[in-house]
Amino acid sequence: MPDLPITACDVEPIHIPGLIQPHGVLLALRRAGGEIAVVAASANAGCDNATDPAAYLDAGSRARLERALTTATGAADLPLGTLHDRAGQPWDATLRLQATGSPGTLCPDDRDLALLELEPAGPTAAAPRLLLERLNQGLVEIQLQTDIVAACRAAVASLAAVSGFDRVMAYRFQQDLSGDVVAESRRVDGPPPDPAQPNSYLGLRFPASDIPAQARALYHSAAVRLIPDARVEPAPLLRLDGSDRAIDLSRAVLRGVAPVHLTYLANMGVRASMSIAIRGNAGLWGLFACHHLRGTLQVGPEARLAAEILARALSWRIAELQAAMVAGRLHSLAIASVPMLEDFSLARRERPPMDRWPIPEPDLAPRRLPASEGLHELLSACDADGLVVWPRVAGVEPLQAGTAPGAGCIERLCSWLDDEAKAASETRPGAPEWLLSTHALPELLPPDLAGMLYAGKRSEDPRHDASFGLLAVRLPGDGWLLLLRRELRRSVQWAGNPEKQAARLDVAASGDNATNCVDGRAASGGLLQLSPRASFEAWTQEVAGQSAHWSDADRRVALALRDAIGAVLLARSTEIARGNEELRRRSDETRFFADAAAHDLREPLWQIQVLSELVGEGLEDMALDQPPATAIMAELRQMTQSVVASAKRMHGMIEELSRLAIAGHQADRTEMVSLREVAMEALEDIRQGQALPQPLPLPQVQSSDRENTPSMPADSSISLAGLGGVSLCADRGQVRRVFQNLFSNAVKYRDPERPLCVVAEALPAVHGMVRVQVTDNGLGFDPAHATHLFEPFRRFPNRAAAATPGLGLGLAICQRIVVAHGGSIEARSPEGGGASFCFTLAEPDPATPAGTAS
């Protein structure tokens, strides 16, 4: 093949090699009809085509085997002790029930096979008592360690003493399935090391391809893998029942070795090897790798069992230490996150009593965590360089800490995460909760978003604040919790070049001999095959453009922080809902009171007004020529006119109170309205005297609007051009009332020393909210009173307020209408005079497009 795939080793069926290691004998047995039949036997068993166990074992051993098969239940390994063959030779026997673990490669009849493995019975590496003492000492040393690496060092020292190997290493898997040697034990009295190989592998990393995926999977079936001699010819496993199916040897100690792995061991100078699985909570944590350089080494069942117990003890200790580390981080997180959680809650807000009059408006000001309040400890607990919390709820801005992108990038990044989460839920329905963790964020992002995040960042500058690692967790609702990490530039020491070498198998003309040219220099026509690395000399790789990997502990901490934030947001939502219900109840009571008071007051006021007017008319008709009578009549007429004016003014006050009571209630937000048209209608209302108790002079509209508005004094102007083309779903009448009140205030509080100029315009949208600003150049107000302007019965604190009629309800009405439309309003008085009011309006349904609003 011209191009050999680099993953060819990953598909090699190493669980069904059809071969065994020849230092032992393997029989595949089936019990049928009360008899035991041998369906397969290794070629070195010495009895060709014999299906009766009596051909292989003596009578006593056969009887013990029958009892074991009769009484055994479930899938287990049964040590049978010493069995003897027909010649009387002793063997250490192990019966492995239901050894077939790959139903897709076997016929159904092979799934109930039992494998009998016979290994030569002989002295173990140590006497039983000495073996137990070494095992016990190793268990104690492992349990005493308070660090994972220290525990691995204690384990490899004990394993070397138990097994007798020249070199024992503890190998820890990384997130990308490569592995680091974290502990090593070497014999000092062994042969001199090969100059082509490193004297020590401690601290070196091995690529993931050195242990293919199916090899890692086999450690779940058999924790120990022993190769006593890597140079011996294997023995074929022969089927005796006429089937051509391969037998699954996943759990067999005698399973044959893949040729690639034998070449790998030869390249390392290893004659015998043993590997033992180190399991963790999330699967395979690592391996013990044992190498013998001085010759063959047979490790008996007792020593293998002791090695497996040491690996299991180390696995438990690692799990304990990891759990303690996670618990410590969660404790630190709980302490460090208190300020942020308090900020998201309503606990620290001063809540005025509900019986105050007038009812206070809810606190809708966005809240942000102060930059100096607990952020360093929070980032340390999360082991992150940056933090973003965006609940996407009203009244809470995105919280940013440490290294974090700008607000626009955050919004775009969260939108991309929304799409990724939706795609994951569609492709994996019912799957566990989706979260994203990556140490190479630029490789996942679409080009436009990557351009936003990394624009202007120089990759050669290790100090820049761009984030290359991301851990994203969905918050309750549709918000996001983002943990960010900076680029981590590092040098990785590999045990040889991690790239696999493609070697060519040259076939001579006679076809009888073949040579493997590892350096690739071969005659044309040879067959390509994969060959493991021939050199394991330290090889350095510079890694850039990535962050540190996210661990399972990092993900647990992120989920704990997510749960804490979710609980606070839920409590806040509950409290807000309770407060809203209370406000709604009090508001209904207020509206009922206002309606009742208005109804009860209108009738007597109307009578007072009508009767006063009739009295005034009657006094006008009376002709009294005497001077005293004339003076008295003039005084009575003046008093009557005052009563009529007071009645009219009180009638206007009642109307204003009624408007305040109903402001924002029963808003019909189904109509698409143009803000420019609504503003024009408000100006027309003012011209006709409907918005104020007396007619007011109107400013002149710019030329673009002149054809639709009445003529106005030439010394004033108003601009509505900035509202052109902006539409949204809103209550037309209530939005018109907002413009009426703001325009009326601009006219009432104009500066008499300069022409009035009013500008109404739409500002750039923020989070889908339409923003409108009305600015005038009038008298303005003291900025210290900005927070009180929207309270009912508050007047502008300037000289014009006393001379201008009104109750101070206009801005309070504006605020209630804007809040009912999902927005907010604020006021400021810029330097140089004038007043500026900015309010936002939201669509009633997020799915409804915002028209042409921008």
Side-chain angles (χ1 to χ4, degrees):
M1 295 183 296
D3 295 313
L4 192 65
I6 203 78
T7 58
C9 287
D10 289 342
V11 296
E12 183 180 0
I14 60 176
H15 63 295
I16 49 173
L19 304 168
I20 71 163
Q21 299 182 71
H23 65 276
V25 174
L26 187 143
L27 303 178
L29 309 174
R30 177 184 291 122
R31 187 176 184 85
E35 297 292 332
I36 300 175
V38 178
V39 298
S42 56
N44 59 349
C47 298
D48 296 338
N49 300 324
T51 60
D52 187 352
Y56 304 90
L57 302 174
D58 63 12
S61 297
R62 185 177 184 278
R64 289 173 56 190
L65 176 61
E66 289 180 348
R67 286 195 299 271
L69 284 174
T70 302
T71 58
T73 58
D77 293 343
L78 300 178
L80 301 181
T82 302
L83 299 183
H84 295 80
D85 60 15
R86 291 289 302 272
Q89 181 178 352
W91 299 86
D92 285 326
T94 302
L95 186 64
R96 308 188 190 280
L97 302 177
Q98 297 181 355
T100 57
S102 303
T105 62
L106 305 173
C107 63
D109 292 340
D110 282 347
R111 297 178 192 172
D112 60 351
L113 293 181
L115 300 184
L116 178 63
E117 291 191 279
L118 304 175
E119 300 177 73
T124 60
R129 181 179 179 84
L130 180 59
L131 183 65
L132 289 176
E133 289 177 351
R134 291 175 176 173
L135 175 60
N136 181 67
Q137 182 180 3
L139 297 178
V140 172
E141 289 294 328
I142 291 173
Q143 193 63 31
L144 290 176
Q145 305 307 316
T146 58
D147 176 78
I148 291 179
V149 174
C152 291
R153 286 197 294 264
V156 296
S158 298
L159 184 55
V162 167
S163 63
F165 279 92
D166 292 334
R167 179 193 294 123
V168 178
M169 299 176 290
Y171 177 94
R172 175 177 57 189
F173 286 118
Q174 298 294 326
Q175 296 285 336
D176 59 357
L177 298 181
S178 63
D180 293 328
V181 178
V182 297
E184 183 182 52
S185 174
R186 294 178 293 115
R187 291 179 61 96
V188 297
D189 58 345
D194 186 347
Q197 305 301 336
N199 187 35
S200 172
Y201 291 100
L202 184 62
L204 299 184
R205 178 172 296 184
F206 289 76
S209 56
D210 281 12
I211 306 178
Q214 79 276 32
R216 290 191 298 271
L218 285 178
Y219 285 104
H220 295 284
S221 301
V224 180
R225 176 61 164 152
L226 174 65
I227 303 175
D229 189 353
R231 301 178 187 176
V232 69
E233 289 292 329
L237 182 62
L238 307 176
R239 292 293 298 239
L240 306 180
D241 57 353
S243 173
D244 58 354
R245 296 276 184 173
I247 294 179
D248 191 337
L249 303 180
S250 297
R251 297 172 58 195
V253 172
L254 297 176
R255 172 169 49 88
V257 186
V260 170
H261 187 59
L262 293 177
T263 305
Y264 184 88
L265 294 177
N267 291 343
M268 294 186 74
V270 174
R271 181 68 182 270
S273 74
M274 183 171 69
S275 53
I276 307 104
I278 305 173
R279 297 188 176 96
N281 294 330
L284 196 62
W285 183 89
L287 295 173
F288 283 124
C290 308
H291 294 164
H292 205 59
L293 313 178
R294 298 175 295 171
T296 63
L297 181 64
Q298 174 64 39
V299 181
E302 297 88 352
R304 292 203 304 268
L305 180 60
E308 187 172 356
I309 292 174
L310 284 172
R312 196 180 301 274
L314 178 62
S315 300
W316 288 339
R317 188 56 181 159
I318 289 173
E320 290 176 350
L321 294 174
Q322 288 178 334
M325 181 268 295
V326 172
R329 289 185 59 183
L330 292 176
H331 178 70
S332 300
L333 176 70
I335 296 174
S337 61
V338 168
M340 179 186 67
L341 299 179
E342 286 182 349
D343 189 76
F344 284 148
S345 70
L346 296 176
R348 297 194 304 176
R349 301 189 184 185
E350 181 181 356
R351 300 187 63 190
M354 295 300 296
D355 56 354
R356 266 182 46 185
W357 178 265
I359 295 177
E361 294 293 338
D363 180 9
L364 298 177
R367 301 180 60 82
R368 181 187 294 277
L369 186 67
S372 60
E373 194 172 349
L375 293 186
H376 177 75
E377 292 79 4
L378 183 60
L379 291 176
S380 177
C382 295
D383 194 15
D385 300 310
L387 169 72
V388 175
V389 181
W390 192 14
R392 284 179 174 172
V393 297
V396 179
E397 287 185 346
L399 181 146
Q400 303 178 40
T403 301
C409 289
I410 291 177
E411 184 174 1
R412 177 69 180 86
L413 180 60
C414 290
S415 298
W416 174 73
L417 289 171
D418 291 337
D419 297 337
E420 293 294 309
K422 181 180 179 181
S425 63
E426 292 175 351
T427 56
R428 298 185 304 165
E433 178 184 13
W434 183 85
L435 59 83
L436 174 70
S437 62
T438 175
H439 64 284
L441 181 59
E443 300 177 6
L444 299 182
L445 297 177
D448 60 332
L449 180 53
M452 292 178 62
L453 286 173
Y454 304 104
K457 306 297 184 182
R458 295 189 306 157
S459 60
E460 65 271 12
D461 182 4
R463 296 171 299 176
H464 67 69
D465 59 354
S467 299
F468 285 78
L470 172 65
L471 176 55
V473 183
R474 171 77 79 179
L475 290 175
D478 62 348
W480 285 99
L481 166 64
L482 310 180
L483 298 180
L484 304 162
R485 282 179 176 171
R486 294 191 183 98
E487 180 184 29
L488 177 63
R489 293 197 167 195
R490 62 196 186 278
S491 298
V492 177
Q493 295 287 327
W494 294 90
N497 191 327
E499 299 296 331
K500 277 189 178 286
Q501 303 290 331
R504 188 176 298 276
L505 187 66
D506 291 330
V507 182
S510 62
D512 298 329
N513 301 314
T515 58
N516 188 1
C517 298
V518 178
D519 60 3
R521 297 191 303 269
S524 176
L527 300 177
L528 281 174
Q529 69 175 14
L530 281 181
S531 172
R533 291 170 290 113
S535 172
F536 294 85
E537 186 176 358
W539 188 84
T540 303
Q541 179 187 23
E542 299 296 331
V543 179
Q546 299 178 359
S547 73
H549 287 267
W550 299 97
S551 65
D552 291 332
D554 296 327
R555 285 182 277 272
R556 289 187 59 183
V557 168
L559 291 174
L561 181 58
R562 184 279 314 271
D563 293 341
I565 295 174
V568 170
L569 292 177
L570 178 61
R572 173 174 179 162
S573 300
T574 303
E575 187 169 354
I576 289 177
R578 190 183 302 114
N580 287 340
E581 183 62 31
E582 179 67 13
L583 286 174
R584 188 179 301 108
R585 185 183 67 81
R586 298 301 296 258
S587 180
D588 291 342
E589 293 176 358
T590 303
R591 189 168 68 254
F592 175 78
F593 168 77
D595 291 342
H599 178 272
D600 293 340
L601 291 175
R602 281 191 183 101
E603 182 63 24
L605 280 175
W606 180 254
Q607 291 181 6
I608 292 172
Q609 180 179 344
V610 171
L611 292 176
S612 298
E613 291 175 349
L614 291 176
V615 171
E617 292 175 0
L619 292 175
E620 291 289 342
D621 295 338
M622 294 179 65
L624 299 177
D625 299 332
Q626 300 299 324
T630 302
I632 293 173
M633 295 303 296
E635 186 176 356
L636 288 174
R637 283 195 295 271
Q638 183 178 0
M639 293 173 62
T640 304
Q641 291 173 0
S642 298
V643 172
V644 173
S646 297
K648 289 183 177 180
R649 182 182 176 190
M650 194 169 182
H651 189 273
M653 294 170 62
I654 293 174
E655 293 298 326
E656 285 297 303
L657 286 173
S658 298
R659 293 191 186 100
L660 176 65
I662 66 174
H665 292 280
Q666 299 177 350
D668 182 7
R669 303 176 60 189
T670 59
E671 179 185 2
M672 182 68 71
V673 298
S674 166
L675 291 184
R676 182 176 175 277
E677 293 179 0
V678 172
M680 294 294 296
E681 293 172 2
L683 288 175
E684 180 65 17
D685 291 340
I686 296 175
R687 188 189 70 81
Q688 296 177 0
Q690 297 177 0
L692 293 172
Q694 61 185 15
L696 294 170
L698 287 179
Q700 182 174 348
V701 179
Q702 291 182 355
S703 59
S704 60
D705 302 319
R706 188 174 297 148
E707 65 274 13
N708 295 324
T709 57
S711 60
M712 297 180 184
D715 64 341
S716 301
S717 67
I718 184 169
S719 173
L720 303 180
L723 299 177
V726 181
S727 302
L728 78 160
C729 290
D731 189 300
R732 190 182 195 91
Q734 295 196 15
V735 175
R736 183 174 64 189
R737 171 63 62 179
V738 173
F739 281 112
Q740 285 176 358
N741 291 343
L742 295 181
F743 291 157
S744 298
N745 283 342
V747 175
K748 287 193 293 184
Y749 300 105
R750 64 184 299 181
D751 190 342
E753 299 180 357
R754 56 184 173 183
L756 176 64
C757 178
V758 180
V759 177
E761 59 183 339
L763 302 178
V766 176
H767 304 318
M769 304 285 286
V770 178
R771 302 168 64 209
V772 181
Q773 181 169 282
V774 178
T775 305
D776 64 58
N777 64 340
L779 296 175
F781 57 88
D782 186 350
H785 299 98
T787 58
H788 303 291
L789 293 179
F790 299 99
E791 295 179 5
F793 307 105
R794 285 275 188 171
R795 302 294 304 280
F796 278 95
N798 54 40
R799 62 182 182 273
T804 305
L807 296 178
L809 298 178
L811 292 181
I813 292 174
C814 290
Q815 185 187 53
R816 294 198 175 186
I817 292 175
V818 168
V819 170
H821 282 74
S824 61
I825 185 171
E826 60 182 3
R828 63 184 182 91
S829 184
E831 295 183 5
S836 177
F837 295 88
C838 182
F839 62 91
T840 59
L841 301 172
E843 290 284 349
D845 183 0
T848 303
T852 57
S854 62

